[in-house]
Amino acid sequence: MLKHIVQYSIIGVLAGLLLWGMFWARGKAGDEMCTQVEVDIPNAGSITFVTRDGILNELRNRNVHLVGEPMRNINTDKVEAALHDSEYLENVDCYKAQNGKVVISATQLVPVLRVFDGGASYYVNARGKRMSATASYHADVPIVEGHFTKDFTPMRILPIVDYVNSDQVLRSLVSMYCIKDTNDIFVVPTIKGHVVNIGNADNYVNKFKKLLLFYRMVMPVKGWLTYDTVSVKWKHQVVATKRVRAVAQEDAYDAS
């Protein structure tokens, strides 16, 4: 009986020492000062528009200071929230490492569309976040022209763009998109001479199927410059409007 009591006492003392050690280590870690901020940009490539200095400046502008601060006072959630509002960032993760180091992993925004809306031009990512277009950065993404509102945002046509990009034929066919209103979305094809009205953003798969069928069965017979508008916005029919003005023809190259 005495033997068991001694064993339990030893276990209790060891557990107490372990618990004290954990609190002591935590206290020592909390007394550490932040001496280094490591910034990692996972998707930095040939074009990098997010830099370490830019990240740190953004934090300073939002009154978030790291170097020289006690590690216990650094709130990584606050750091992430401050950078999340930056238009240039897709995602941010922040955590504390050993030896007074704070690590920030900042993913550059990945644009999927470039929008021209009046005098404004901006990029949009897959979640609808906007980034101002500047001369220092260019992304080869589909172009959308039109006026958007809070009720009709560029995100409404993103499924159409994704569908076109997933099809090799359509991807080579579509040049850009023009939005007149919510019921008149125009596709500008690479084939010169006409535009395609697909109507609203619904049922676009069948609309493109009708368009390709029209291209195969009608256009070779009627001529590719016969119509200025091809509309597939209505069910079970394609309506083509004959051109009024002739398409300007470029002069053939004369080597002499």
Side-chain angles (χ1 to χ4, degrees):
M1 185 64 149
L2 182 60
K3 181 180 179 180
H4 290 303
I5 292 174
V6 173
Q7 288 178 339
Y8 289 145
S9 298
I10 294 173
I11 293 173
V13 171
L14 291 175
L17 289 173
L18 178 61
L19 186 62
W20 175 84
M22 291 173 60
F23 280 111
W24 180 83
R26 184 176 299 177
K28 291 293 290 182
D31 291 336
E32 270 190 319
M33 306 295 285
C34 176
T35 58
Q36 180 185 0
V37 178
E38 179 182 309
V39 178
D40 176 41
I41 305 171
N43 62 340
S46 57
I47 299 178
T48 301
F49 54 90
V50 174
T51 64
R52 179 182 184 276
D53 290 341
I55 293 290
L56 298 181
N57 286 334
E58 186 76 21
L59 289 174
R60 281 192 289 268
N61 292 337
R62 297 178 181 275
N63 202 31
V64 178
H65 304 283
L66 299 177
V67 175
E69 293 291 321
M71 292 293 281
R72 68 164 74 246
N73 293 344
I74 294 176
N75 187 331
T76 56
D77 290 338
K78 184 178 179 181
V79 174
E80 292 176 359
L83 294 175
H84 179 75
D85 293 334
S86 171
E87 64 174 330
Y88 302 105
L89 297 178
E90 183 105 6
N91 186 59
V92 179
D93 289 310
C94 178
Y95 61 91
K96 301 175 187 178
Q98 294 180 343
N99 301 322
K101 182 166 70 173
V102 173
V103 180
I104 300 174
S105 178
T107 304
Q108 297 180 132
L109 185 134
V110 181
V112 295
L113 292 176
R114 181 166 183 177
V115 178
F116 290 87
D117 189 343
S121 177
Y122 54 88
Y123 291 102
V124 179
N125 76 347
R127 291 179 291 182
K129 188 173 183 178
R130 299 183 179 186
M131 180 182 78
S132 302
T134 63
S136 60
Y137 174 75
H138 172 74
D140 187 15
V141 293
I143 294 175
V144 180
E145 182 182 281
H147 178 60
F148 293 93
T149 65
K150 63 178 182 179
D151 297 320
F152 187 77
T153 69
M155 294 299 294
R156 290 289 300 276
I157 70 163
L158 188 55
I160 299 174
V161 175
D162 285 342
Y163 176 72
V164 169
N165 288 342
S166 68
D167 186 281
Q168 184 177 357
V169 174
L170 292 176
R171 187 169 63 249
S172 62
L173 174 68
V174 175
S175 172
M176 64 178 293
Y177 305 83
C178 293
I179 315 300
K180 183 178 180 182
D181 53 54
T182 57
N183 292 311
D184 291 290
I185 299 173
F186 287 86
V187 170
V188 181
T190 52
I191 302 171
K192 185 178 179 180
H194 69 278
V195 294
V196 179
N197 187 349
I198 65 172
N200 58 30
D202 300 330
N203 201 27
Y204 51 85
V205 174
N206 287 332
K207 292 174 181 176
F208 279 111
K209 286 181 179 178
K210 287 191 297 182
L211 176 63
L212 294 179
L213 182 62
F214 186 79
Y215 279 170
R216 286 196 299 267
M217 304 298 293
V218 178
M219 286 297 226
V221 177
K222 295 292 186 179
W224 289 93
L225 299 179
T226 302
Y227 307 105
D228 59 15
T229 305
V230 177
S231 178
V232 292
K233 64 189 295 185
W234 294 284
K235 288 185 178 180
H236 311 303
Q237 61 178 328
V238 177
V239 177
T241 305
K242 282 192 174 182
R243 148 179 341 280
V244 176
R245 295 182 179 179
V247 177
Q249 299 291 320
E250 296 180 357
D251 294 333
Y253 173 66
D254 186 353
S256 63

